[in-house]
Structure formats: C-alpha cells, structure tokens
C-alpha cells in the first residue's frame, strides 16, 4: 500500500489577519505525508485547524509559511487534481444527478461519450443508478453526499479531500457512507484525506491518523491502526470487534481529553 | 360505533387554511367591497358624478375597448413598460451578477449605483422632457431610470448570497473564474433574478402611469387625464381597473415562468 507520497505538507503554518495589526495562528509547523493510495484522516478537537489544513491542500487558502507539494509541484490555488467534498451540500440543484456527476468532466473538455460512460460508472459505484435522472432536491442528505462524491471522483482527481463529509448525516447513514468510502477506496485506488472529529470514523477509515493539538494546531501524533494489519475492512461491526480497536479508541480519547484540558 | 373527531375551528390559531376556505374568503372580501359600492351608489349616498356605480364602470370599460379603440392605448402602455423594462434588465442583470461575483467590480459601480437609488425617478421628468421632447424617449427613459438601479442592487445582493461552497466546489473541479460565473453562480442565482424582475416590473407600471399622466397623449394614463377634463369618472375608474388587471396578469405570467423554468424548485 505505502508507495510514494501523493501529497507532502512541509512545515506549513497559517495565520489569519484579524485587522488592526492583530492576527491568530491557526496551525503551526505542520509536516506530514499523504502516501499514494492511502486514506489519511486528520483528527483533532474543534479549533485545531484541521479544516484549514485541508483547505490549504485544496488551494482554497494559502499557507503563511511552508509549502504543500503534489506530484513535485507546489500547490498554488485550486485545481482538478485535488477534488473536494464539503460538509454542506454542494449539489448543483439545477442539474440532474447525472449532469452533476458530469459537471467536472464537461468543464474540463472530456468528450461526451466518455463523460457519459464515466458518469454511469461512478453513479453505480455510489449506488445511485435508480436516481440518475432526478434533481438533487428530491434526494436525502446521504444521497446528496453520494452525488458530491461521485462528481468529484468522476473528475479523476489525484487526491480526494473531504471536510467532515458525513457530519450533517444521521448516525446510521453516516455508518453506511463510511463503509461506502472504504469500498470506493479499494475499487478506485483513490488517495483520500478526510477531516473529522469523530473517533470511530477516524479509526474505521484511516490507514493513517494525523492527530492535531489545538490553539495553534500542531501534529501531536501520527498513528497507523496496527490492529487492522494493513488491511481495509468494509464492515464496521467487524472492525469494532477486532482486538486492538478499543485500545486505539481509548488512546485517541485520551489525546482528545488532554487537548480539552489544555483549554481550561 | 362513531369515531369522535376533534372539531375543526374556523379561526384556528396558526392552523393552515384549506383551499376551499381560502378561495371563499378571497371571494367574500371582494363581494363585500363591490356590495358596499353598489349599495352606496344605488342609495344615493355618494355623488354619482364622482362615484359611478360599478356596473356602469364595467359597461364603460367594455365600451372603451369595443367602441373607442382603448385597446391601442393599452397596447402602447404595455409596449412602453416591456420595452423599457427589457432594456433595464439587459443592463442590470449582467452588471449585477458581475458586481456580486467580483468585489473589484462592485467597488467600481456600487458607489455610483447606490447614489442614484436615492434620487426619485419622477424628479427627472422635467429634464427628460427638455432633452427628449414629447415622443416615446422620455417615457422609456423615466421607466429605465426608475427600475435599473434597484434591479442592479437586487441582482447583486442575490448573487452575493450564492453559497461559497458551490463556488469552491467548482474551483476544485478545475473551473476557471469565467466558468464559475457562467456555469455555477449564474444558474444558482437565476431563480432569484426572476423574482427580482417580477418585483421590479410592478414598479415599472407605477412609473409608466406617472409618465403618461404627466406628459403623454397616448396610453392608459393619458386616457385617464383626458377623462378628467370631461368629468368622466367612470372612464378614470376603468383605467385604474385595467392597470390593476394588467399588473395582476403580468405578475401571474412571471409566476408561471418561474414555475416552468425552474422545475427543480418544486416541492415534492
């Protein structure tokens, strides 16, 4: 699994200017690698700047110091090699599910025939084949996120960035979506970076967890869930019962607690 | 065995009203209005020269259309409104979308546009008459001035409210600025633009009547001013009714356009 790096975050800091000469440091000296074809989860308490890091990877924010490198090039603004899925629904309401999924390919000049085939493939992959021709407003929240995921994947990015993608969904839908993502990762070999504050989600999805401390965000620990023995398991019930699951959950909980206390 | 149903109150506190009740209520208020009018006229409670009976007003309306070519006045008024309104939209929609999409463009035009909004359009009538004479131009100019600055501001505000995530999604899919504006921001804001146009068209009718009353020999407003000179209150009231009906029709037309053009907004 561990090949070269798809994405390297090198000593990245981000300060936000608050005006009147004041500023706040959101993240500081962040360094980690995202290996090719791996799922990396950015985990940490709220306010640790994990979304800021993801947005800098996407090119939607600019680092104040340091650099982010993809395929040997420094990231400079958003581009199709880094697709992003947001927590808020981003379906284009005026387009059918199919047209939504084709959107990225269309603006990038992919020929119509290939576009249609590719869209068909990814709509099937996320299980929306029965809904290909309806408008997103007729879909549930979980299904809309499936549209967003299919739309991003169909555009063939090097890395899929997801910012708390299932945060707005109810528990059982979230669970299904997490299992879907493991399947998608296995079938498409897509490199993923997922931001979450949900311990279970992190343990279930991650090949590697990057735990961040808060105020300012720094990398506190990099954790590879050893109990999965380098395998991906797409059944959450199975994962929860594996030896070592609860140890890791306990450890992460402890880290979260430590960060929480630091605030008081 | 009978099932006990809780009785439904006519004045239910914040309870939705059924279709039938709504229709009857709407009909009822108009029946009361015309009832009072008919009664007041028949009983001689009002000066019949100043307040003719409704049946007489409707008869006059009919006569105006079929006997005295009022239709051509109505058509002139409609074409003035639509002509000026189309010109205003042709400028305001693209400009408003650009201002709402690019803060740099807003910074250039907003100070100019918002200043004009505080100037009542009718205050330009004297100068417009001097510049353009008495033809169609001053009327179209008044409607244009009256509508365009509000429309620009409305379109800009709606455009600004297009959610940032939609823009960022498009950017991370590889869209350039032009594509984001044309393929995401514009279609996202279009339903609200149509709503803004609907509101502004009502305003255009207001300015039309002002223009025709002040300086015109044709159109609905001019007919009403002519009627005033000959104390024809029934014709004046006919004019008011026709303007009201036209406004209502155009409003319904826009509502239908909205439903037809944006099927994805229909609630299922």
């Amino acid at each position: 699994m561990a090949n070269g790096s798809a994405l390297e975050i090198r000593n990245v800091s981000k300060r936000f200017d608050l005006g009147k000469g004041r500023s706040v440091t959101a993240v500081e000296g962040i360094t980690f690698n995202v290996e090719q074809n791996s799922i990396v989860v950015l985990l940490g308490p709220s306010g640790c700047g994990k979304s800021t890091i993801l947005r800098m990877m996407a090119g939607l924010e600019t680092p104040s110091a340091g650099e982010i490198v993809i395929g040997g090039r420094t990231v400079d603004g958003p581009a199709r090699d880094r697709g992003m899925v947001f927590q808020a629904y981003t379906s284009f309401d005026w387009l059918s599910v199919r047209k939504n999924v084709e959107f990225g390919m269309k603006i990038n000049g992919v020929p119509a025939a290939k576009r249609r085939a590719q869209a068909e493939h990814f709509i099937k992959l996320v299980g929306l084949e029965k809904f290909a021709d309806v408008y997103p407003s007729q879909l549930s929240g979980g299904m809309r996120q499936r549209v967003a995921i299919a739309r991003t994947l169909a555009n063939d990015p090097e890395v899929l960035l997801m910012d708390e993608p299932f945060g707005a969904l109810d528990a059982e839908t979230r669970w299904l979506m997490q299992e879907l993502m493991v399947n998608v990762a296995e079938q498409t070999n897509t490199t993923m970076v997922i931001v979450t504050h949900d311990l279970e989600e992190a343990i279930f999805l991650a090949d590697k967890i990057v735990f961040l401390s808060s105020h300012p965000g720094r990398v506190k620990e990099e954790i590879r869930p050893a109990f999965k023995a380098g395998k991906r398991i797409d059944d959450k019930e199975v994962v929860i019962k594996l030896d070592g699951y609860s140890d890791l959950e306990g450890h992460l909980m402890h880290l979260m607690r430590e960060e929480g206390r630091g605030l008081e | 065995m009978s099932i006990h149903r809780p009785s439904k109150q006519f004045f239910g506190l914040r309870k939705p009203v059924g279709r039938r009740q709504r229709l009857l209520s709407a009909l009822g208020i108009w029946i009361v209005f015309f009832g009072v009018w008919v009664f007041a006229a028949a009983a001689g409670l009002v000066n019949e020269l100043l307040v003719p009976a409704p049946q007489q007003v409707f008869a006059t309306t009919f006569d105006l259309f079929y006997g005295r070519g009022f239709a051509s006045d109505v058509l002139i008024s409609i074409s003035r409104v639509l002509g000026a309104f189309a010109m205003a939209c042709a400028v305001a929609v693209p400009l408003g979308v650009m201002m709402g999409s690019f803060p740099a463009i807003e910074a250039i035009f907003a100070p100019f546009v918002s200043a004009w909004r505080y100037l009542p359009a009718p205050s330009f009538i004297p100068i417009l008459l001097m510049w353009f004479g008495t033809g169609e131009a001053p009327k179209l100019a008044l409607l244009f001035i009256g509508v365009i600055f509000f429309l620009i501001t409305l379109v800009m505000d709606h455009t600004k409210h297009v959610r940032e995530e939609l823009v960022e999604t498009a950017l991370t899919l590889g869209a350039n600025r032009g594509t984001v504006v044309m393929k995401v921001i514009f279609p996202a804001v279009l339903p609200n633009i149509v709503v803004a146009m609907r509101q502004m068209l009502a305003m255009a009718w207001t300015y039309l009547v002002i223009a025709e009353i002040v300086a015109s020999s044709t159109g609905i407003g001019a007919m009403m001013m002519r009627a005033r000179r000959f104390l024809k209150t029934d014709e004046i009231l006919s004019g008011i009714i026709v303007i009201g009906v036209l406004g209502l029709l155009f409003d319904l037309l826009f509502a239908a356009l909205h439903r037809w053009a944006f099927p994805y907004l229909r609630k299922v």
Side-chain angles (χ1 to χ4, degrees), chain A residues 55 86, chain B residues 160-171:
Chain A
R55 290 175 60 80
F86 296 80
Chain B
K160 281 189 193 169
H161 280 108
V162 171
R163 284 174 33 236
E164 196 57 28
E165 288 94 345
L166 296 186
V167 173
E168 292 183 338
T169 296
L171 288 172

Side-chain angles (χ1 to χ4, degrees), chain B residues 85-138:
Chain B
F85 187 68
M87 285 193 286
C89 289
V91 178
V93 172
L95 185 58
V97 169
M98 294 305 276
M99 287 167 73
S101 304
F102 298 98
I105 297 181
E106 184 192 353
I108 297 169
F109 289 102
F112 183 75
V113 169
S114 38
W116 282 83
R117 280 195 305 152
Y118 295 103
L119 296 169
S123 64
F124 290 91
I125 291 176
I127 195 79
L128 290 175
L129 286 173
M130 292 185 68
W131 285 344
F132 297 116
T134 52
E136 288 305 299

Side-chain angles (χ1 to χ4, degrees), chain A residues 134-168:
Chain A
V134 309
Y135 287 115
S137 57
Q138 292 165 283
L139 301 178
S140 67
M143 286 157 106
R144 286 200 203 190
Q145 282 309 64
R146 287 170 196 253
V147 175
I149 291 163
R151 180 178 58 194
T152 314
L153 288 173
N155 200 35
D156 197 22
E158 313 259 325
V159 185
L160 174 61
L161 307 171
M162 304 178 93
D163 191 2
E164 306 206 17
F166 314 130

Side-chain angles (χ1 to χ4, degrees), chain B residues 8-10 15-26:
Chain B
K8 201 167 169 268
Q9 290 173 310
F10 188 81
K15 292 277 178 289
V17 168
R19 198 182 159 77
R20 217 173 90 93
Q21 187 180 339
R22 222 186 2 229
L23 207 73
L24 290 176
S25 303

Side-chain angles (χ1 to χ4, degrees), chain A residues 98-221:
Chain A
R98 191 191 304 279
K99 290 273 164 63
N100 261 281
V101 176
E102 285 187 24
F103 184 88
M105 296 184 278
K106 192 165 182 192
I107 61 171
N108 286 302
V110 176
K114 191 185 170 202
R115 218 157 67 204
R116 222 163 298 136
Q118 188 98 334
E120 202 70 41
H121 171 73
F122 283 100
I123 286 169
K124 222 171 250 162
L125 185 70
V126 298
L128 284 179
E129 56 269 44
K130 280 188 197 140
F131 301 94
D133 294 305
V134 309
Y135 287 115
S137 57
Q138 292 165 283
L139 301 178
S140 67
M143 286 157 106
R144 286 200 203 190
Q145 282 309 64
R146 287 170 196 253
V147 175
I149 291 163
R151 180 178 58 194
T152 314
L153 288 173
N155 200 35
D156 197 22
E158 313 259 325
V159 185
L160 174 61
L161 307 171
M162 304 178 93
D163 191 2
E164 306 206 17
F166 314 130
L169 306 179
D170 58 68
E172 60 203 271
T173 311
R174 197 182 315 151
W175 185 358
L176 281 173
M177 295 296 288
Q178 290 162 0
E179 295 184 341
L180 173 76
M181 288 324 291
V182 171
N183 278 322
V184 166
E186 281 298 283
Q187 287 178 42
T188 61
N189 277 328
T190 307
T191 308
M192 300 184 187
V193 183
I194 302 172
V195 161
T196 185
H197 58 252
D198 179 340
L199 301 184
E200 262 183 37
E201 183 165 283
I203 301 170
F204 178 68
L205 290 174
D207 297 325
K208 176 167 89 179
I209 296 171
V210 177
F211 192 95
L212 298 156
S213 64
S214 51
H215 303 292
R218 292 196 177 90
V219 176
K220 185 157 176 149
E221 203 174 326

Side-chain angles (χ1 to χ4, degrees), chain A residues 62-102:
Chain A
T62 318
S64 310
E67 62 174 354
I68 294 168
V69 178
I70 179 166
R73 304 178 315 277
T74 300
V75 164
D76 178 24
R80 76 182 285 201
D81 57 1
R82 285 151 289 128
M84 182 133 162
V85 173
F86 296 80
Q87 176 176 1
Y89 303 138
T90 53
S91 25
F92 300 137
D93 289 339
W94 56 94
L95 299 175
S96 67
V97 168
R98 191 191 304 279
K99 290 273 164 63
N100 261 281
V101 176
E102 285 187 24

